[in-house]
Amino acid sequence: MPDLVESKPLSGFQDLLPQDALAFEGAVERLKQVFRRYGYAPIDAPCIYRFETLTGGRAGIDKELFEWHKKEGRDKTEQGDHIALRFDLTVPLARYVAANAASLTFPFKRYDVGKVWRGERPAKGRYREFYQCDFDVVGTVAPSSDLEVALVMADAVTACGVDKFRVRLNDRQILNGLLASLGLLERSSDILRVVDKLDKIGPEAVTEELTRPAEGDKPGLGISPVAATSVLSFTRLSSELAGDALLAELARRFESNPVAKAGVERLRFVVKGAQDLRGADRFAVDLSIARGLGYYTGTVYETVLLDAPEFGSVCSGGRYDDLASYYTKQWLPGVGASVGLSRLLTALAKISSDSSKKAAPCPVLVAVAPEVDPIEGTRTADLLRKAGIGAEVYHAQAIKDQPSTAAKLGKQLKYGDARGHRLVVIVAPDELSRRAVVVKDMASQKQDEVPLSGLVDAAMRHVSS
Amino acid sequence: MPDLVESKPLSGFQDLLPQDALAFEGAVERLKQVFRRYGYAPIDAPCIYRFETLTGGRAGIDKELFEWHKKEGRDKTEQGDHIALRFDLTVPLARYVAANAASLTFPFKRYDVGKVWRGERPAKGRYREFYQCDFDVVGTVAPSSDLEVALVMADAVTACGVDKFRVRLNDRQILNGLLASLGLLERSSDILRVVDKLDKIGPEAVTEELTRPAEGDKPGLGISPVAATSVLSFTRLSSELAGDALLAELARRFESNPVAKAGVERLRFVVKGAQDLRGADRFAVDLSIARGLGYYTGTVYETVLLDAPEFGSVCSGGRYDDLASYYTKQWLPGVGASVGLSRLLTALAKISSDSSKKAAPCPVLVAVAPEVDPIEGTRTADLLRKAGIGAEVYHAQAIKDQPSTAAKLGKQLKYGDARGHRLVVIVAPDELSRRAVVVKDMASQKQDEVPLSGLVDAAMRHVSS
């Protein structure tokens, strides 16, 4: 017999156990329902592309890719395309919109949930293969689309079972207006990337990085201390003023700055609309939110869990100026966000007081006594399934050189307990001769004889309680 | 401005348009519901593995793989692991069960829907990246699990919207019993692979391939013409006899052959149980079904659409003797099947008389007259969403250098028509001043004024009709 082959996943890759995969899949299905309810449609696009298609001529991106030259031909000596796995869902969206523009309706609203790959060195909590869950409206600058994204974010987080959260909003046009007034507009992208670290590294470290000159590996922007102080004190404004007072102050400050003023107007529309429709405490202007990504140009969003703020933002996004300029000349401004599904579910598991992770994919297990014809087990489970109640039949575990295909009831009940079934229906000879079964509630461990004609009702009562 | 980057997918890869992705996703969600109803749980496992993990020392498999040496290190000169993308969901299942055996409950029931990759030369209808959809019960030889797979197959095909189909069943133990009686048992795998081509190439070509000796590239098994005739006449038995008469004849023939006899017994249990629970015309013994794959050892299944038999089997599977012997010493016999989702949906599109492919992800579009505050559109849509009716708001399409964020109603109605919304709710100033909106049915093109207080009821009536 040859040696066994290694079965563990590679470093940076992971297996989800069935109970975790079930919870993950449930969350994904609920999120997709939310997206569809707002008119977003799914797309399906490849995971593999030409290297050039993914990098679009941009420097720096290639360092994270899983990329290789596909060998072709019977003897695999032909050098084929230089290809790579997608590293996010945004570049593939841009490519998809450009490639299929003639068949799409604009504004184009899509969602996409799928795996992406990054060749980075694995670290705790950082994987080389992981899910992203994105939704975007492409081809519009209407503020109603910015508001919609805020509402979808709130509904998405709610659909995952979170009640206490806050969506923090800002608008890069406001920040850029401020930077313009300081003569720093052309350095906006660098400055906002540093400001984005406020939550993580604090105001002193941010000031330090803004003001010191870059030196070797150490980053620094070398802007004047006066300008850095102005930027930081501006980001603090939203912790000193709130609601209408804050919006009025912003309007006053940027009265004569048309770009920032338009940003204030949009922010007002989005925040007040979202508060009106989903609750005032769920949305707040936060002028310190910048988002690290350079391509955001308008509204930016972050979502924190009030009971687990240490997990950072579980759903983030923003408005961008032009999605697909690498691939098409069509002007495609848009707005969208990403649900950080893995982070959100990890945070939820921490918040949740319910530590039981057992959850069978269906509520009922049908156990069949060894003396009974196994068809009776299948028939009983089928009665429940036809009534819409998930029910599985116990199949005897195979044991080498023991050909029996029946199992003792004790073993079957143990399986039901391990799997987390809420109800076990026992098909045994005595009861069956009276056209009845035993119904056992696994939580209370109480059991009753129930006629087969009343089984659906009895199961329904237990399962819906 | 730099040249535009190519946005088309690579040869052998495809984009699904939103309406096709929506139909595909709907089918997948319905299939998952069926699987869960029978107690199958999802798993989630990597797409990338060590080359050796995927090939398990088997010859021949590597020719289809997307495989490469991952380059590591800052300068990417470090030769990392030899890795490959999964080419099916069966090998990853075997590996998963072996790697996680201590945390799983046996028998282990899982489903998995995901992409797989094969490096073959693309051809019409053959992709290098495509979905598989598998379900399996691992760790049991109980015939109730073979019956369950037949029922899940029928329910899965039904859930995809097919009414007229037939699951054809056979048992390799019966075929092996026959081959044993001809002294050909040790050539079973080769012979059954040829017999599996009966449907495709016909009995003459199969006889030819069974009897001629292999010569160069031309395959041939060189078995005696008498034996070949016996095999072929046996596979025809199920077109001459059916139901109980066929099962009785099989029992008679194999009375003194314990292996084949056990196969006949299991086949009887599965076919009669499935016919009893899902209808006699939906299941039939077909002794010519062999399935090409060498690892099947018991029940084998195929499913044909009675209105589109030319598509071949849309759901196939079988019982295997030991799933994971490459990875673990634990004995893991099981049974499972694969839904050929792409093929099934293509066949369905052909059968369906409904040629309209338009289907918005939600039934209602809310159109907002340019003069109205856009918040009124969002508010109206939200009223419907809160009542569980999917409703999207029209966002004005962005046109370069035209800053307006409102659109004419005619353009919005055109969007609703293109997208396939069933209902357009128009928010216009006159009606709004009376706290009313206009509701337009897109099929009949009829429209009525409806008070906002009655909108949910009115929409519900249209949408459910």
Side-chain angles (χ1 to χ4, degrees):
Chain A
M1 191 175 173
D3 285 345
L4 294 181
V5 175
E6 174 61 52
S7 63
K8 292 261 172 305
L10 283 158
S11 165
F13 293 78
Q14 69 173 335
D15 285 333
L16 279 192
L17 287 175
Q19 59 268 35
D20 298 324
L22 194 62
F24 187 85
E25 178 175 280
V28 168
E29 287 189 3
R30 288 192 299 277
L31 287 173
K32 289 180 172 179
Q33 266 170 22
V34 169
F35 299 147
R36 289 194 296 256
R37 203 190 302 147
Y38 282 83
Y40 293 74
I43 62 168
D44 195 72
C47 299
I48 299 178
Y49 297 95
R50 282 176 206 86
F51 182 79
E52 297 73 27
T53 298
L54 278 188
T55 55
R58 282 158 295 180
I61 280 189
D62 60 331
K63 73 175 183 298
E64 294 183 344
L65 299 200
F66 272 93
E67 37 130 347
W68 69 102
H69 287 269
K70 174 86 183 90
K71 295 194 186 100
E72 301 276 0
R74 193 172 267 246
D75 53 3
K76 302 186 128 205
T77 51
E78 249 176 76
Q79 184 83 321
D81 290 305
H82 182 191
I83 58 181
L85 287 164
R86 65 185 182 194
F87 60 92
D88 73 1
L89 299 178
T90 304
V91 171
L93 169 65
R95 181 211 60 77
Y96 177 95
V97 171
N100 300 285
S103 311
L104 302 176
T105 314
F106 290 94
F108 173 58
K109 297 165 71 164
R110 83 87 177 78
Y111 61 88
D112 200 351
V113 184
K115 282 184 170 173
V116 301
W117 294 266
R118 295 193 187 166
E120 301 161 316
R121 295 236 171 238
K124 192 172 154 31
R126 192 167 70 190
Y127 291 99
R128 292 180 148 193
E129 174 180 296
F130 56 96
Y131 280 93
Q132 290 204 333
C133 170
D134 285 16
F135 64 97
D136 288 85
V137 198
V138 178
T140 183
V141 293
S144 56
S145 61
D146 299 77
L147 169 57
E148 179 171 288
V149 166
L151 295 178
V152 174
M153 287 172 73
D155 287 6
V157 173
T158 304
C160 289
V162 180
D163 190 42
K164 289 154 89 179
F165 62 87
R166 185 162 296 137
V167 180
R168 294 180 183 155
L169 299 110
N170 196 3
D171 197 302
R172 279 218 173 177
Q173 280 189 215
I174 303 176
L175 294 172
N176 283 335
L178 174 79
L179 294 176
S181 73
L182 299 168
L184 292 167
L185 185 57
E186 74 281 7
R187 308 203 56 192
S188 158
S189 176
D190 288 338
I191 294 171
L192 294 184
R193 191 167 46 242
V194 177
V195 170
D196 184 53
K197 300 183 191 171
L198 263 174
D199 253 13
K200 266 184 226 148
I201 63 175
E204 284 79 20
V206 165
T207 306
E208 159 80 13
E209 194 171 332
L210 286 174
T211 52
R212 77 168 170 240
E215 217 185 86
D217 268 3
K218 220 171 162 188
L221 299 180
I223 73 169
S224 78
V226 175
T229 305
S230 292
V231 171
L232 283 191
S233 79
F234 180 76
T235 64
R236 268 197 301 272
L237 193 60
S238 53
S239 54
E240 291 153 12
L241 292 171
D244 286 340
L246 175 61
L247 289 165
E249 170 61 17
L250 288 172
R252 194 193 59 74
R253 285 204 186 195
F254 295 112
E255 213 166 4
S256 55
N257 180 330
V259 171
K261 198 177 163 189
V264 173
E265 273 316 298
R266 181 168 49 209
L267 189 60
R268 177 201 302 276
F269 177 81
V270 173
V271 172
K272 291 190 81 77
Q275 287 180 326
D276 181 29
L277 292 166
R278 289 290 177 284
D281 54 333
R282 291 208 157 146
F283 302 88
V285 172
D286 186 333
L287 297 173
S288 73
I289 302 291
R291 301 305 302 151
L293 294 170
Y295 53 74
Y296 289 133
T297 53
T299 316
V300 283
Y301 313 80
E302 284 189 7
T303 312
V304 285
L305 305 182
L306 300 185
D307 290 331
E310 69 275 22
F311 283 88
S313 177
V314 296
C315 185
S316 320
R319 166 165 286 288
Y320 39 86
D321 224 14
D322 197 358
L323 177 74
S325 57
Y326 292 110
Y327 308 104
T328 174
K329 291 179 176 168
Q330 191 175 350
W331 181 51
L332 293 167
V335 58
S338 233
V339 182
L341 253 178
S342 305
R343 192 187 285 191
L344 180 52
L345 293 181
T346 310
L348 267 175
K350 206 206 138 207
I351 295 171
S352 167
S353 57
D354 178 16
S355 62
S356 147
K357 292 195 71 177
K358 287 190 289 184
C362 65
V364 180
L365 172 71
V366 174
V368 190
E371 317 86 278
V372 171
D373 183 343
I375 191 69
E376 298 301 338
T378 302
R379 200 189 300 281
T380 305
D382 216 52
L383 201 68
L384 294 167
R385 284 182 211 128
K386 280 182 178 153
I389 303 169
E392 74 169 290
V393 173
Y394 181 83
H395 308 300
Q397 190 177 349
I399 299 164
K400 195 84 186 175
D401 304 323
Q402 290 188 21
S404 165
T405 56
K408 286 184 181 157
L409 281 175
K411 181 157 190 189
Q412 301 185 48
L413 283 162
K414 225 170 121 182
Y415 170 90
D417 185 51
R419 291 260 292 172
H421 289 287
R422 293 164 64 182
L423 216 61
V424 177
V425 173
I426 302 165
V427 183
D430 285 359
E431 288 81 5
L432 197 60
S433 68
R434 295 189 289 272
R435 304 214 35 76
V437 289
V438 172
V439 171
K440 178 166 185 168
D441 185 291
M442 295 301 277
S444 69
Q445 290 284 307
K446 274 194 223 158
Q447 59 180 59
D448 293 298
E449 184 171 326
V450 173
L452 274 169
S453 59
L455 177 61
V456 166
D457 284 348
M460 206 77 92
R461 267 198 309 279
H462 277 89
V463 165
S464 61
S465 72
Chain B
M1 191 174 173
D3 285 345
L4 293 180
V5 175
E6 174 61 51
S7 63
K8 292 263 172 306
L10 284 158
S11 166
F13 293 79
Q14 68 173 336
D15 285 332
L16 279 193
L17 287 175
Q19 59 269 34
D20 298 324
L22 194 62
F24 187 85
E25 178 176 281
V28 168
E29 288 189 3
R30 288 192 300 277
L31 287 173
K32 288 180 172 179
Q33 267 170 21
V34 169
F35 300 148
R36 289 195 296 257
R37 202 190 302 147
Y38 281 84
Y40 293 74
I43 61 168
D44 195 72
C47 299
I48 299 178
Y49 297 96
R50 281 175 206 89
F51 182 79
E52 297 72 28
T53 298
L54 278 189
T55 55
R58 283 158 295 179
I61 281 189
D62 60 331
K63 74 174 181 299
E64 294 183 343
L65 298 200
F66 271 93
E67 38 130 348
W68 70 101
H69 288 269
K70 173 89 184 87
K71 295 196 186 98
E72 302 275 2
R74 193 172 269 245
D75 52 3
K76 304 186 125 207
T77 51
E78 252 176 74
Q79 183 82 322
D81 290 304
H82 182 191
I83 58 182
L85 288 164
R86 65 185 182 194
F87 59 92
D88 73 1
L89 298 177
T90 305
V91 171
L93 169 64
R95 180 211 62 75
Y96 177 95
V97 171
N100 300 285
S103 310
L104 302 176
T105 314
F106 289 95
F108 173 58
K109 296 164 70 160
R110 85 85 178 79
Y111 62 87
D112 200 351
V113 184
K115 281 183 170 174
V116 301
W117 293 267
R118 295 194 186 165
E120 301 161 317
R121 295 237 170 236
K124 192 172 155 30
R126 192 167 70 189
Y127 291 99
R128 291 180 149 192
E129 174 179 297
F130 56 97
Y131 280 92
Q132 289 204 334
C133 170
D134 285 15
F135 63 97
D136 288 85
V137 198
V138 178
T140 183
V141 293
S144 56
S145 60
D146 299 76
L147 169 56
E148 179 170 288
V149 166
L151 295 177
V152 174
M153 287 172 72
D155 287 5
V157 174
T158 304
C160 288
V162 179
D163 188 44
K164 288 154 90 178
F165 63 87
R166 185 161 297 136
V167 180
R168 294 180 184 154
L169 299 110
N170 197 3
D171 197 303
R172 279 217 173 177
Q173 280 188 218
I174 302 177
L175 295 172
N176 284 335
L178 174 79
L179 294 177
S181 73
L182 298 168
L184 291 168
L185 186 55
E186 74 281 7
R187 309 204 55 193
S188 158
S189 177
D190 289 337
I191 294 172
L192 294 184
R193 190 166 47 241
V194 176
V195 169
D196 185 53
K197 301 182 190 172
L198 262 175
D199 253 13
K200 266 184 226 148
I201 62 174
E204 284 78 21
V206 166
T207 306
E208 159 81 14
E209 194 171 332
L210 287 174
T211 52
R212 78 168 170 240
E215 217 185 87
D217 268 3
K218 218 172 163 187
L221 299 181
I223 73 169
S224 80
V226 175
T229 305
S230 291
V231 171
L232 283 192
S233 79
F234 180 77
T235 63
R236 269 196 300 272
L237 194 59
S238 52
S239 55
E240 291 154 12
L241 292 172
D244 287 339
L246 176 61
L247 289 164
E249 170 61 17
L250 288 173
R252 195 192 59 73
R253 285 204 187 195
F254 295 112
E255 213 166 3
S256 55
N257 180 329
V259 171
K261 198 176 163 188
V264 173
E265 273 316 298
R266 181 168 50 207
L267 188 60
R268 177 200 301 275
F269 177 82
V270 173
V271 172
K272 291 189 80 77
Q275 288 180 325
D276 181 30
L277 293 166
R278 288 289 177 285
D281 54 333
R282 291 208 157 146
F283 301 88
V285 171
D286 185 333
L287 297 173
S288 73
I289 302 290
R291 304 303 304 151
L293 294 170
Y295 52 75
Y296 289 133
T297 53
T299 315
V300 283
Y301 313 80
E302 285 188 6
T303 311
V304 285
L305 305 182
L306 300 186
D307 290 332
E310 69 275 22
F311 283 88
S313 178
V314 295
C315 185
S316 320
R319 166 164 287 288
Y320 40 85
D321 224 14
D322 197 358
L323 177 74
S325 57
Y326 292 109
Y327 307 105
T328 175
K329 291 180 175 169
Q330 191 176 348
W331 181 52
L332 293 168
V335 59
S338 235
V339 183
L341 253 178
S342 304
R343 192 187 287 193
L344 181 52
L345 293 181
T346 310
L348 268 175
K350 206 209 138 205
I351 294 172
S352 167
S353 57
D354 178 17
S355 63
S356 147
K357 292 195 72 177
K358 287 191 289 185
C362 64
V364 180
L365 172 71
V366 175
V368 190
E371 315 87 277
V372 171
D373 183 343
I375 190 68
E376 298 301 337
T378 302
R379 200 189 300 282
T380 305
D382 216 51
L383 201 69
L384 293 167
R385 287 183 209 125
K386 279 182 179 153
I389 303 169
E392 73 170 290
V393 174
Y394 181 83
H395 308 300
Q397 190 178 350
I399 299 163
K400 195 84 186 176
D401 304 322
Q402 291 188 19
S404 165
T405 56
K408 289 186 180 152
L409 280 176
K411 183 160 189 186
Q412 301 185 49
L413 283 162
K414 224 171 122 183
Y415 171 90
D417 185 51
R419 290 259 294 171
H421 290 287
R422 294 165 64 183
L423 216 61
V424 176
V425 173
I426 303 164
V427 184
D430 285 358
E431 288 81 4
L432 198 59
S433 67
R434 296 190 288 271
R435 303 213 38 74
V437 289
V438 172
V439 171
K440 177 165 184 168
D441 185 291
M442 294 300 276
S444 68
Q445 291 284 307
K446 275 194 223 158
Q447 59 180 57
D448 293 298
E449 184 172 326
V450 173
L452 274 169
S453 59
L455 177 60
V456 166
D457 285 348
M460 204 78 90
R461 267 198 310 279
H462 277 89
V463 166
S464 61
S465 72

